[in-house]
Amino acid sequence: MVAETQRLILREFAAEDFEDVHAYSSDYETVRHMMFGPNTPEQTRLYLEKQCVEEMRADPRMHYNLAIVRRDTCRVIGGISFHMNWRRDDAILGAVLNRHEAGHGYMTEAMEGVLHLVFEELQLHRIHAVCAVDNAPMLRVFEKLGMRCEGCMLQRGKARPEEKEPYFDQFGYALLREEWEEKHPSRQS
């Protein structure tokens, strides 16, 4: 699966992406809100060579992990994933961006590309995501995309051992296909 935006290409990960992926997946500040990392080199290799390949071969395919690639440099600057539940006609969205690439609108652009895939190509009804309440940049991305905050889930996330508190709160955000279509009328099928 591939999607293209003005500045980005969203494509399947490949083993050759190791250097770029490990640069962000091993960086504590980049992954501190994620459920993985900081990765060792072996964990990054395992992710690229096993998990991504197995997900691509699954039938029916339920999970997509896509590399966020800058067109101008051909470098992988992050990843964006969605896990589908065909029975519920929805997906959960997750994403990570190398912190050195933050502040340029890449995450908003990548998410918009994935929302196009989810709503217009896969024709899902709903997408949702969760985010730590202190992850202000991601909260701004969700709001720019027109996603709705559906509430705060207390102590939903398990913190890393080095954090003071064992759990952290998360906001839940969602968007329906009809809401997407209202905001993107020229893109409707």
Side-chain angles (χ1 to χ4, degrees), residues 60-64 83-91 122-124:
R61 187 159 182 192
M62 304 297 285
H63 199 102
Y64 290 83
H83 182 82
M84 293 180 292
N85 183 322
W86 291 109
R87 198 167 144 250
R88 288 196 318 236
D89 200 19
D90 77 353
L122 298 171
Q123 292 290 301
L124 293 180

Side-chain angles (χ1 to χ4, degrees), residues 150-179:
E150 294 191 322
C152 182
M153 296 166 277
L154 300 179
Q155 298 184 10
R156 184 180 183 276
K158 185 152 176 48
R160 298 174 186 282
E162 62 273 11
E163 300 292 333
K164 279 191 336 189
E165 299 297 326
Y167 298 96
F168 59 91
D169 301 341
Q170 292 181 321
F171 286 123
Y173 277 77
L175 187 67
L176 300 174
R177 184 170 60 218
E178 62 196 45
E179 294 169 324

Side-chain angles (χ1 to χ4, degrees), residues 60-133:
R61 187 159 182 192
M62 304 297 285
H63 199 102
Y64 290 83
N65 274 308
L66 303 175
I68 302 171
V69 182
R70 280 182 52 171
R71 285 178 182 263
D72 62 345
T73 64
C74 297
R75 302 292 304 256
V76 175
I77 61 170
I80 193 161
S81 68
F82 55 100
H83 182 82
M84 293 180 292
N85 183 322
W86 291 109
R87 198 167 144 250
R88 288 196 318 236
D89 200 19
D90 77 353
I92 186 163
L93 181 65
V96 62
L97 183 72
N98 186 318
R99 69 183 167 107
H100 301 292
E101 300 289 345
H104 302 286
Y106 294 129
M107 183 58 74
T108 303
E109 190 173 328
M111 288 245 194
E112 192 164 55
V114 164
L115 291 175
H116 172 79
L117 287 172
V118 166
F119 291 129
E120 298 182 30
E121 293 187 28
L122 298 171
Q123 292 290 301
L124 293 180
H125 174 68
R126 181 178 191 274
I127 194 156
H128 62 278
V130 294
C131 180
V133 296

